[in-house]
Amino acid sequence: MLSVNVVRITASIFYHIRYTKVDMTIVQLAAAWCLGIWVAVDGGGTKGQWAAGAVIFAFIALILRDRRQIRLAAVFLAVFCAGGVRANFAVTHINVNHLAFYGNDPEVTISGIVTGQPRVRDERVDVPVQVESLHGAGGVVQAVQGRVLLQTARFPVLEYGERIRASGTLEEIENWNDFDYREYLARQGIYRLMRNPQLVRLERDAGNPFFQAVNALRVRAQATVVALIPAPQSALLSGILLGDDSRMPEALRADFRSTGMSHIIAISGFNIAILAGALLRGGRPLLGHKAAAWMAMAGILVYTILVGADAAVVRAAIMGSMYVLANRILGRPTYAPAALFTAALFMSAVDPFVLWDAGFQLSFAATLGLMLFSSPLSSRTDEWLARHIAGEPLARIMPLLTETVIVTFAAQLMSLPLLAFHFGQLSLATLPANLLILPAQPGVMLWGGVATIAGMLSPALGQPLAWVAWLLLQYTTTLVQALAQLPFAVVDVQPGSVGVIAFYALLFATYWLARQSQEKRQALVLQARGRAAHGAPVLLGLALALTVSWSRTQPDGNLHVAFLDVGQGDAIFIQTPSGRQFLVDGGQFPSVLNARLGQQMPFWDRHL
């Protein structure tokens, strides 16, 4: 089955369990570096103090070559101090040349370049701008650095790379209830906010030409998804494929949080594994073994940039690229723990504050859970089943159990404490939700991706493929909404940092004790092998489901009038006996209206 193959690809890329001295040394050095950054940011210390510590411990490591244990300890402490040095250099220093120095002035004019894809929301558009100059009182123009977030009206539509002039009030950023919005934007280098500015468009195509071309491709892909698939399924596919879920209704987003399924919207290792596997398998017959590997690495790079290159995606891209380079090009095995911690080291070297990013933490924890616990749990389950079930039934049950229950549980075991810490909630529906919904997600990405590419070439070519993607997306949203309504689907918890640390300490202590009683396992290398015998029933089932859905949405000769709940305002949907459709009014929230229309209109009809 497709889901089985993708799990195997993911396993092959992300959790080859084999511990060697070199492997563990890399893990320990990366952990020391990240710990140094964490202590420096939270505990303080100057650049000079941390640099002095790094030099002293490095000198001790050099002169004590015969004392291996002391030398290793000195190396780890030197790397720990080097992390503290890097953290100090990353701290933004606010002075008259930085935009954050200015704030709450009644009228300020700034000039700068739109450096990110504007995020379209119901009532506003969030536009990140790299500021070049500030026009103060008396017409004085001063060069400044820093970024500002403009919250503009939906029109005019600004694009990446435009140089603009904006006039308004620079405001300090305020937090939302329990969410530290100020820190969230600060990690992106944004320290000021300007609401409803007066805009003047000065120049187009002022950004980086490569990123501008990639962003234009992303915008076109989003427009294709919206044209081919009704809402809210189109918003979900846009989040899964392109990393932009801004058009998703807040109610549906809350249902994904309540069921612990938000991770399928956020692009991470799962998406990279599917992409790498598809490029490797598809390119090998045409280009050969190594050329297909280079194509896969290039595809991972472009896709990472295309979807916005957030922390979780970059972590997955580094790991996926390391696997392709080492295993497929250099012909050497890769070791997942070392790859994971190396990715953390590289990312924190570029941006130390990525360690505080919730998406990075959750992605790192879930991946580490797969590496550490999926293989031991699978073995223990296999042993237990062997004692109670003999023969062919075991062979049938074990793959399903391993690739659904155990893999899901291993990832959730590591990420649930962080989810509770960051969001103050714990989903009790997450395990059944993952078991029921996760198997459909490879199909969502593959059918949705092919439909989007085909639709960009020809809408008529992409539409039949998009209907298959819609079917899987409809299955996903229906189950999420149903499971979110279960009693006690989500409970409020406040574990605190001490509770999270205590949980992980107990978990790793249990894991370490369990490993002492068994031999270290050899590398686990699973290869994906598609089976045509499994593909035919799946395709037949999809065709049957689409036929039934199509027949149920044909005009029935009656007049239908629906008053849609769009939050505020009126929206009346009318379908005539012949099947023509009219909409009277639409309310104030486009994402809510589109979702309600998606429920009323046939999936194959996109016209009013």
Side-chain angles (χ1 to χ4, degrees):
M1 297 189 326
L2 184 61
S3 61
V4 173
N5 289 336
V6 171
V7 168
R8 287 174 175 168
I9 294 172
T10 309
S12 178
I13 293 179
F14 292 126
Y15 56 96
H16 305 281
I17 307 299
R18 178 178 176 182
Y19 293 95
T20 65
K21 291 181 179 180
V22 174
D23 185 35
M24 290 308 300
T25 300
I26 293 173
V27 170
Q28 292 164 355
L29 288 174
W33 167 271
C34 294
L35 184 61
I37 292 175
W38 202 292
V39 172
V41 171
D42 284 351
T46 65
K47 295 177 186 175
Q49 292 170 336
W50 285 99
V55 171
I56 290 171
F57 288 118
F59 179 74
I60 293 174
L62 287 174
I63 63 175
L64 295 178
R65 295 186 176 182
D66 297 332
R67 307 288 294 276
R68 185 176 180 279
Q69 296 299 327
I70 298 178
R71 182 189 179 195
L72 280 176
V75 170
F76 294 142
L77 288 171
V79 172
F80 171 81
C81 292
V85 174
R86 178 65 186 94
N88 273 271
F89 275 104
V91 174
T92 301
H93 298 285
I94 307 300
N95 53 40
V96 293
N97 296 318
H98 197 282
L99 185 68
F101 185 81
Y102 307 90
N104 297 320
D105 294 332
E107 187 67 25
V108 173
T109 300
I110 57 174
S111 298
I113 298 176
V114 178
T115 55
Q117 173 62 28
R119 294 182 64 86
V120 179
R121 305 184 186 275
D122 277 332
E123 298 176 309
R124 68 176 193 275
V125 180
D126 291 341
V127 185
V129 174
Q130 181 67 45
V131 180
E132 298 175 321
S133 61
L134 183 143
H135 308 252
V140 177
V141 179
Q142 178 178 349
V144 294
Q145 59 182 348
R147 302 180 77 199
V148 63
L149 184 68
L150 303 183
Q151 293 187 341
T152 71
R154 291 176 63 88
F155 301 98
V157 178
L158 298 176
E159 299 177 356
Y160 171 87
E162 283 195 83
R163 179 173 277 110
I164 63 170
R165 182 182 298 129
S167 299
T169 301
L170 283 175
E171 304 176 21
E172 295 185 1
I173 298 167
E174 298 180 354
N175 293 331
W176 302 344
N177 299 324
D178 296 331
F179 178 57
D180 197 338
Y181 191 50
R182 183 185 298 111
E183 182 182 348
Y184 169 76
L185 290 180
R187 287 196 299 267
Q188 304 173 42
I190 298 174
Y191 294 90
R192 288 293 181 266
L193 179 71
M194 185 179 285
R195 305 177 195 270
N196 302 315
Q198 295 181 353
L199 295 173
V200 178
R201 306 169 87 163
L202 302 176
E203 180 185 356
R204 298 176 65 90
D205 302 332
N208 181 288
F210 173 75
F211 290 110
Q212 197 152 312
V214 171
N215 190 73
L217 179 64
R218 184 186 188 189
V219 171
R220 186 179 175 192
Q222 287 177 326
T224 301
V225 169
V226 171
L228 295 178
I229 298 176
Q233 287 77 27
S234 58
L236 176 58
L237 182 60
S238 182
I240 292 173
L241 276 184
L242 303 170
D244 184 1
D245 62 347
S246 59
R247 292 175 173 83
M248 184 176 292
E250 183 55 39
L252 182 59
R253 198 192 309 271
D255 289 341
F256 271 90
R257 287 196 299 267
S258 298
T259 54
M261 295 303 300
S262 295
H263 62 89
I264 72 169
I265 306 174
I267 295 174
S268 60
F270 195 58
N271 308 68
I272 298 296
I274 295 173
L275 175 66
L279 292 176
L280 287 171
R281 295 184 63 191
R284 192 183 304 118
L286 299 175
L287 304 174
H289 186 78
K290 289 194 174 181
W294 285 112
M295 182 182 71
M297 291 184 65
I300 291 172
L301 174 62
V302 173
Y303 182 70
T304 302
I305 298 171
L306 180 68
V307 300
D310 67 13
V313 182
V314 172
R315 191 274 310 158
I318 292 175
M319 291 189 65
S321 299
M322 288 177 66
Y323 165 78
V324 175
L325 177 64
N327 195 276
R328 298 303 178 93
I329 296 177
L330 301 179
R332 300 174 182 176
T334 54
Y335 306 116
L340 179 63
F341 278 84
T342 299
L345 190 151
F346 284 155
M347 293 175 66
S348 59
V350 174
D351 178 14
F353 296 107
V354 74
L355 299 179
W356 282 263
D357 183 88
F360 171 80
Q361 291 177 7
L362 291 168
S363 176
F364 185 94
T367 307
L368 186 60
L370 284 173
M371 296 173 186
L372 296 181
F373 303 122
S374 60
S375 182
L377 287 173
S378 177
S379 299
R380 295 295 178 89
T381 306
D382 195 3
E383 294 170 3
W384 185 89
L385 288 174
R387 291 195 300 267
H388 295 82
I389 305 175
E392 188 175 348
L394 175 62
R396 293 175 178 269
I397 293 173
M398 193 56 208
L400 177 63
L401 198 62
T402 300
E403 292 158 6
T404 54
V405 179
I406 294 176
V407 170
T408 300
F409 181 72
Q412 294 289 331
L413 189 62
M414 285 290 291
S415 58
L416 282 178
L418 288 174
L419 285 168
F421 176 77
H422 285 293
F423 304 109
Q425 291 182 330
L426 188 63
S427 174
L428 302 182
T430 182
L431 191 57
N434 276 275
L435 296 180
L436 293 171
I437 296 171
L438 211 56
Q441 300 319 300
V444 168
M445 187 170 179
L446 290 174
W447 284 100
V450 173
T452 302
I453 294 172
M456 292 169 67
L457 299 175
S458 168
L461 183 62
Q463 188 63 79
L465 301 171
W467 288 338
V468 180
W470 169 86
L471 191 65
L472 298 170
L473 290 161
Q474 174 75 358
Y475 168 82
T476 300
T477 54
T478 300
L479 273 179
V480 165
Q481 290 169 329
L483 290 171
Q485 303 306 313
L486 292 176
F488 308 108
V490 62
V491 294
D492 295 331
V493 291
Q494 296 293 338
S497 57
V498 175
V500 173
I501 294 172
F503 176 89
Y504 284 128
L506 179 62
L507 182 64
F508 287 123
T510 304
Y511 173 77
W512 183 82
L513 290 173
R515 285 190 62 85
Q516 302 310 301
S517 62
Q518 60 182 347
E519 296 181 356
K520 294 182 180 179
R521 299 185 179 275
Q522 296 299 315
L524 174 63
V525 181
L526 300 174
Q527 298 299 331
R529 295 173 183 170
R531 297 181 182 178
H534 288 229
V538 171
L539 291 176
L540 184 61
L542 290 173
L544 179 61
L546 278 175
T547 302
V548 172
S549 298
W550 176 82
S551 64
R552 293 181 60 185
T553 54
Q554 294 301 301
D556 58 4
N558 296 319
L559 176 69
H560 296 268
V561 179
F563 298 88
L564 308 182
D565 180 8
V566 291
Q568 186 173 354
D570 297 323
I572 303 171
F573 176 78
I574 303 172
Q575 185 183 54
T576 68
S578 63
R580 298 190 66 186
Q581 298 164 142
F582 299 87
L583 178 68
V584 181
D585 207 341
Q588 296 187 3
F589 307 112
S591 67
V592 178
L593 173 64
N594 287 333
R596 296 292 181 265
L597 287 175
Q599 295 169 352
Q600 292 292 328
M601 297 174 64
F603 69 91
W604 45 268
D605 190 350
R606 307 287 291 119
H607 299 90
L608 285 170

